[in-house]
Amino acid sequence: MPAPRPHVLHEATYRQLLEHRPNVAVLPWGATEAHGWHLPHGTDVIEAMAIAEAAVERAVAKGSKAILLPAIPFGNNAQQQDQVATIHFSTTTALAILRDVTESLVRQGIDRLVLLNGHGGNAFAPLVRDVMLETGATIVVVNFWQLCPEVLRATFHDPGDHAGELETSLVLHLHGELVEMEQAGDGRTVPFAIEAISQPGVWTPRPWSQTHPDTGCGDPRQATREKGKAFFDAASDAVATMLVAFSQASKGQTPYV
Ligand SMILES: [Zn+2]
């Protein structure tokens, strides 16, 4: 049996934490929602948690004082409320959670927080601005699907936006037993009927079920476990490198001020 890891909060004993004394916390934050006909509803949580865990593991091995927090399982699913068992966290709920987590950590001497975001519908920027002002903490947001663009380009025909080649490859790598590849649709999207609302610089959220007939966005059918591993390793390394630098930063070294 492997020993409890002091850098994984769910496993660590109090004595281990007193010795490890983390100074940067990593909070995976996903959503639980339909991912095509072929991926689990937990896809965003699985991805965020796995990248965060691997990154913390690698960063701690290089001397970082990072700790992995348990994942927040629900996100903003305001435009999917017609889909069965889809829990929506409103922005005020997300703000309250982020504020409570950050305030608690700051009281205990942890003033650096990394949000490892797994869901495109979670828009953390305005929340982070407010909570940083209120708490004095420095909060960094990682949208994992935007990491390592050169690896994305070299690895995927088209990564896709949701349940496409990138996400399907990742879950094939991380939890292949949960992927029903033979059920996969083509991830085709339906453009807005009002074309003028699709032009650059104009935005409104997509009414998901109408614009995404199989709930996916991007074709998953060229996904492979190998592609998933290639991106997973690169993304975890990128986050680990950032964690090492963030954990070792001294106050005044921007943006840790
Ligand atoms: Zn997803």
Side-chain angles (χ1 to χ4, degrees):
M1 287 283 283
R5 294 170 291 176
H7 53 274
V8 178
L9 186 58
H10 251 172
E11 299 179 12
T13 64
Y14 188 44
R15 190 175 302 286
Q16 281 181 309
L17 283 177
L18 288 175
E19 283 164 16
H20 177 48
R21 281 286 167 198
N23 66 7
V24 52
V26 181
L27 180 64
W29 198 320
T32 302
E33 59 176 359
H35 272 78
W37 300 119
H38 63 294
L39 291 182
H41 270 58
T43 291
D44 292 350
V45 179
I46 289 169
E47 293 162 334
M49 193 67 189
I51 292 170
E53 182 176 354
V56 168
E57 194 90 45
R58 293 170 199 194
V60 166
K62 290 180 181 165
S64 150
K65 297 232 162 255
I67 187 153
L68 174 68
L69 305 182
I72 307 290
F74 300 122
N76 194 304
N77 284 107
Q79 273 65 49
Q80 285 123 298
Q81 287 302 286
D82 56 334
Q83 296 173 0
V84 60
T86 305
I87 313 298
H88 164 59
F89 270 6
S90 66
T91 302
T92 47
T93 300
L95 176 61
I97 292 169
L98 181 61
R99 180 184 285 132
D100 281 355
V101 168
T102 309
E103 282 180 348
S104 301
L105 293 171
V106 167
R107 284 184 206 112
Q108 296 137 25
I110 301 170
D111 64 352
R112 298 162 234 205
L113 176 63
V114 174
L115 294 182
L116 210 145
N117 183 23
H119 174 57
N122 291 339
F124 287 119
L127 284 59
V128 165
R129 290 179 193 281
D130 287 359
V131 173
M132 281 180 57
L133 176 68
E134 292 166 15
T135 63
T138 300
I139 304 174
V140 171
V141 181
V142 175
N143 293 321
F144 83 79
W145 62 93
Q146 294 169 338
L147 291 165
C148 309
E150 67 297 339
V151 178
L152 279 177
R153 267 193 302 278
T155 307
F156 300 101
H157 174 70
D158 170 15
D161 186 20
H162 181 75
E165 192 181 334
L166 166 61
E167 286 204 296
T168 303
S169 297
L170 274 175
V171 184
L172 280 170
H173 169 55
L174 296 168
H175 273 289
E177 77 284 3
L178 299 179
V179 181
E180 304 271 8
M181 211 54 221
E182 63 289 349
Q183 305 274 336
D186 58 10
R188 183 180 55 86
T189 59
V190 178
F192 288 163
I194 307 169
E195 282 176 40
I197 297 183
S198 299
Q199 65 181 299
V202 178
W203 181 84
T204 190
R206 294 164 279 183
W208 205 267
S209 299
Q210 278 83 52
T211 52
H212 302 79
D214 66 17
T215 80
C217 180
D219 194 339
R221 292 172 297 183
Q222 294 194 47
T224 67
R225 187 165 302 198
E226 293 70 31
K227 292 178 183 178
K229 180 175 176 0
F231 181 74
F232 178 79
D233 286 343
S236 305
D237 271 343
V239 177
T241 301
M242 190 266 293
L243 283 175
V244 171
F246 195 21
S247 175
Q248 290 172 351
S250 41
K251 203 76 177 166
Q253 194 180 348
T254 54
Y256 179 54
V257 292

